[in-house]
Amino acid sequence: AIPEIYPGIGLLAFGWKCLGPLKPWFFSIFITIILGTLCSTAMTYVTKLIVDALTGAGKIPNEVLIQNISNLIFVNLGIGIVMYIAWRISGYIASHYANALDLRIEYTLFKYISHHNPGYFFNHFAGALATKINNVSSGYFEMLDAMHWTLIGAVVSFGASIVLFANIHPLLLC
């Protein structure tokens, strides 16, 4: 039924058309998830630097060691705060965005059905049509949800880890 609404397009393109004015929210979720994932990877790297500073404690004076470790701890704390804020903002935006997207998809599909003649509803159960519309909107949102929270985080984390490995030691990439 979806290609009949917008001829020649599939489910992803239909959802993209339904996003409409929600596109800035869609991209802001992307940005905050990427920021949160990068901060998570950076915290791991800073923790590694703290451990490296502690294991090399005999090689540098205590005053310099304490200064370096305290600076790294504050950097790690700052990154953690930014990460926490990014994850909270992305969750807040996603909770509002989800309802608006669901509403827009259902509205578009019900608007399409309302242009049919009454005989169409006698041949197709109206309740079954409403259930199908609800299933399409919830299925599309679940797909976006999985993409936002699972796929993007994994890809960004993998990419950031490769960059960190390359900076730590190039042979780790082999």
Side-chain angles (χ1 to χ4, degrees), residues 70-83:
S70 62
N71 286 343
L72 289 172
I73 288 173
F74 284 120
V75 166
N76 212 11
L77 183 63
I79 292 172
I81 290 171
V82 171
M83 180 182 69

Side-chain angles (χ1 to χ4, degrees), residues 6-23:
Y6 296 112
I9 65 172
L11 182 62
L12 289 176
F14 168 73
W16 185 252
K17 279 186 147 320
C18 286
L19 276 174
L22 299 174
K23 287 177 186 171

Side-chain angles (χ1 to χ4, degrees), residues 67-115:
Q67 184 65 34
N68 287 345
I69 291 174
S70 62
N71 286 343
L72 289 172
I73 288 173
F74 284 120
V75 166
N76 212 11
L77 183 63
I79 292 172
I81 290 171
V82 171
M83 180 182 69
Y84 178 80
I85 290 170
W87 286 121
R88 295 301 155 239
I89 289 173
S90 66
Y92 176 77
I93 293 171
S95 66
H96 291 284
Y97 160 80
N99 294 330
L101 178 62
D102 194 35
L103 176 72
R104 287 186 59 84
I105 290 174
E106 287 182 3
Y107 175 76
T108 303
L109 292 174
F110 276 116
K111 186 173 150 186
Y112 171 74
I113 285 181
S114 68
H115 295 294

Side-chain angles (χ1 to χ4, degrees), residues 108-139:
T108 303
L109 292 174
F110 276 116
K111 186 173 150 186
Y112 171 74
I113 285 181
S114 68
H115 295 294
H116 285 78
N117 62 10
Y120 179 80
F121 295 103
F122 293 132
N123 295 331
H124 299 85
F125 295 112
L129 292 173
T131 302
K132 287 179 182 178
I133 287 174
N134 193 14
N135 290 343
V136 167
S137 65
S138 62

Side-chain angles (χ1 to χ4, degrees), residues 44-78:
T44 304
Y45 182 67
V46 172
T47 304
K48 178 220 174 284
L49 293 177
I50 292 171
V51 171
D52 287 348
L54 288 172
T55 56
K59 300 175 185 171
I60 47 179
N62 284 342
E63 297 83 26
V64 176
L65 177 68
I66 291 171
Q67 184 65 34
N68 287 345
I69 291 174
S70 62
N71 286 343
L72 289 172
I73 288 173
F74 284 120
V75 166
N76 212 11
L77 183 63

